[in-house]
Amino acid sequence: MTVHELDVLGEACPVPLWRAKEQLKKLKPGDSLVILTDFPRAVMNIMDLADNQGYPFEVTETEAGVWRLVLKCPYPK
């Protein structure tokens, strides 16, 4: 189980979404992707991506205007 980190602070959409998609391709079951962003629309876009692709996720606002998203690669059924 590996934790991958993606810092997209200062990046506006669609860049955070594109970079998240690329990182998700590298995950193996049980791995996590931690994404840091300060762009509110990126939070929504990445949550939609995770939801549509079946990745459980958690979102926390670590400080005013900065979010930490954790996406977990599910095990196959």
Side-chain angles (χ1 to χ4, degrees):
M1 187 151 101
T2 305
V3 176
H4 302 262
E5 294 186 13
L6 178 61
D7 182 341
V8 289
L9 294 170
E11 299 283 348
C13 271
V15 175
L17 182 61
W18 291 340
R19 293 188 59 202
K21 283 182 181 180
E22 289 302 310
Q23 287 296 315
L24 287 175
K25 292 178 187 176
K26 299 176 184 178
L27 298 186
K28 295 180 177 137
D31 287 356
S32 297
L33 175 60
V34 177
I35 303 168
L36 295 176
T37 184
D38 55 359
F39 193 69
R41 187 69 221 167
V43 176
M44 300 303 292
N45 289 343
I46 293 168
M47 287 183 351
D48 287 344
L49 171 68
D51 198 36
N52 289 335
Q53 293 191 3
Y55 288 87
F57 63 90
E58 296 175 5
V59 180
T60 54
E61 190 170 11
T62 60
E63 59 185 87
V66 177
W67 293 270
R68 180 178 187 263
L69 297 93
V70 180
L71 287 67
K72 298 194 182 224
C73 185
Y75 289 95
K77 293 182 179 180

